[in-house]
Amino acid sequence: MTDEIWIIGATGRSGQTIAAQLAQRNRQAVLVGRDAGRLEAAAQQTGGQLLVSPSIVATAEKIRQQRPRVVINTVGPFTATAPLIIDACHDTGSHYIDLANDPDSLAAVFERQSRAAESEHSVITGAGFGVTATESIVVKLCAGRPAPLHVRVDMLPSMATAEGTACEALVGSLLGSLQGRRISDGRLVPAPIGAEAMTLTLPDGTRATTAGMPLGELLAAHRASGAPSVVSASSAAPSSLPARTAVTALSTLMRWDWLRSVATRQLGRIHVKAKDAPRQHSWGHAVATWADGTTREGWLRLGEAQEFTGAVPAEIAQRLLTGSGRPGVFTPAALFGADIVTSCGGEHLMGS
């Protein structure tokens, strides 16, 4: 096995950010993608080797042949790509990291727990902003306490949008997650998108509204807390009645695979205008409530959300290379503890 870190989807924004973060840690990655020209352009920024691969299936076979030490998957939809890449990593003993952030993708990865444990390698899913930020707060809130009755987690990302076209993989992931979810009685159940809107006063005194959204934070917070009731919310969720109505109608249409495929291709070609970051900081937030009425609240303050999403897998890869992993399937704070985020620029602000 080589001591290499592969980034699958290295020409995308997330892949390039991860490569830059690895370079800051004196690690160069193997940049994997379909377009040799774009890979060369990415390599000029961060260095590293190039590996042209026409498809995820072909990339899985290359993993089996070349046996990298760590594989970072940035290509969605992760319900489709993660199983193929994880199975290849199982065969070689390579560590696996992905940026999945929807319940179906995390659930599919968790189902591979037994084989990951037997293969004695680490599989880490949800290694991006939302899951990592909110899970870390829940871990701190619940440390040394019995399982709470209810947990709510909120993500409030702040990042600038560059001008260009929408990414088909990202659009596909978004369209695939238009069915609302929450945890009730310990089970993942349907819930309206945009429900349970709440206006939060952030620690810096500004205010923002979040509303229910089907995020990977649901499963991460449930596993971290043991709470039978969990809600995940985001500042990006539609909270007004017209927006919620439109999303509900769209989610009904997207149940047909052929229509979702057409919509993904068309929306992936839309030109996106540049947009400034909405606030100075990105924030993660969580509230836990216990049977005796006790409530605890916590925040995580960090910088630009995309930079954090690049720092988390880079930090995890660095730790895995130094032998800090364990066999099995994990989310970041479940494997490395809540303070993994402080190594990536985050700061916890915990209430009493």
Side-chain angles (χ1 to χ4, degrees):
M1 176 176 289
T2 64
D3 201 28
E4 292 179 337
I5 301 171
W6 285 19
I7 303 175
I8 302 173
T11 59
R13 186 179 180 189
S14 293
Q16 292 183 48
T17 306
I18 295 167
Q21 289 285 340
L22 284 168
Q24 292 179 19
R25 292 163 171 79
N26 297 316
R27 296 279 186 182
Q28 286 190 332
V30 175
L31 308 182
V32 185
R34 294 179 296 180
D35 189 317
R38 293 181 64 191
L39 285 174
E40 290 175 0
Q44 290 178 3
Q45 302 296 320
T46 60
Q49 303 175 49
L50 310 182
L51 179 61
V52 178
S53 183
S55 68
I56 289 295
V57 172
T59 300
E61 288 308 307
K62 291 179 183 294
I63 290 170
R64 292 185 173 95
Q65 294 165 8
Q66 300 188 33
R67 303 171 65 85
R69 185 78 175 278
V70 179
V71 175
I72 303 173
N73 179 19
T74 73
V75 179
F78 293 99
T79 49
T81 65
L84 293 172
I85 300 302
I86 292 173
D87 286 348
C89 290
H90 284 328
D91 293 341
T92 62
S94 305
H95 298 299
Y96 172 89
I97 305 166
D98 72 31
L99 307 182
N101 192 34
D102 68 272
D104 290 338
S105 295
L106 266 69
V109 176
F110 290 148
E111 289 175 357
R112 284 162 165 74
Q113 167 65 32
S114 296
R115 192 175 178 194
E118 293 171 358
S119 300
E120 298 189 351
H121 68 130
S122 297
V123 173
I124 300 98
T125 186
F129 164 67
V131 170
T132 308
T134 57
E135 180 196 27
S136 74
I137 307 167
V138 173
V139 168
K140 291 186 79 69
L141 290 176
C142 297
R145 292 172 174 260
L149 286 181
H150 178 71
V151 168
R152 177 186 173 114
V153 293
D154 303 270
M155 75 165 196
L156 298 95
S158 182
M159 56 185 167
T161 301
E163 186 172 359
T165 57
C167 169
E168 277 195 32
L170 175 59
V171 170
S173 294
L174 292 174
L175 291 180
S177 65
L178 285 174
Q179 301 297 321
R181 307 284 184 84
R182 64 163 294 160
I183 300 286
S184 180
D185 293 328
R187 298 179 297 110
L188 197 62
V189 299
I193 292 179
E196 302 190 62
M198 178 182 294
T199 299
L200 301 171
T201 300
L202 282 57
D204 62 6
T206 61
R207 293 166 68 84
T209 299
T210 64
M213 199 167 179
L215 302 169
E217 285 92 300
L218 274 175
L219 298 188
H222 176 56
R223 288 164 66 95
S225 67
S229 173
V230 182
V231 170
S232 64
S234 170
S235 58
S239 55
S240 68
L241 181 59
R244 288 172 57 189
T245 301
V247 168
T248 299
L250 184 59
S251 67
T252 301
L253 294 174
M254 291 303 105
R255 292 175 184 174
W256 284 280
D257 290 342
W258 67 270
L259 186 56
R260 186 167 62 247
S261 177
V262 171
T264 297
R265 289 195 299 271
Q266 294 302 316
L267 292 174
R269 297 169 185 164
I270 290 177
H271 185 80
V272 178
K273 294 182 179 180
K275 188 177 180 181
D276 293 335
R279 60 185 66 87
Q280 182 179 1
H281 296 102
S282 298
W283 298 90
H285 174 252
V287 177
T289 304
W290 280 263
D292 62 1
T294 300
T295 297
R296 297 191 71 200
E297 180 181 28
W299 295 85
L300 179 73
R301 179 175 60 201
L302 47 98
E304 207 260 2
Q306 186 65 45
E307 289 298 317
F308 184 79
T309 292
V312 171
E315 177 66 21
I316 291 173
Q318 179 85 341
R319 295 188 182 200
L320 292 174
L321 287 177
T322 59
S324 298
R326 299 198 310 273
V329 176
F330 305 91
T331 41
L335 179 56
F336 295 110
D339 290 335
I340 179 73
V341 297
T342 62
S343 301
C344 304
E347 178 186 4
H348 283 115
L349 305 172
M350 307 303 294
S352 58

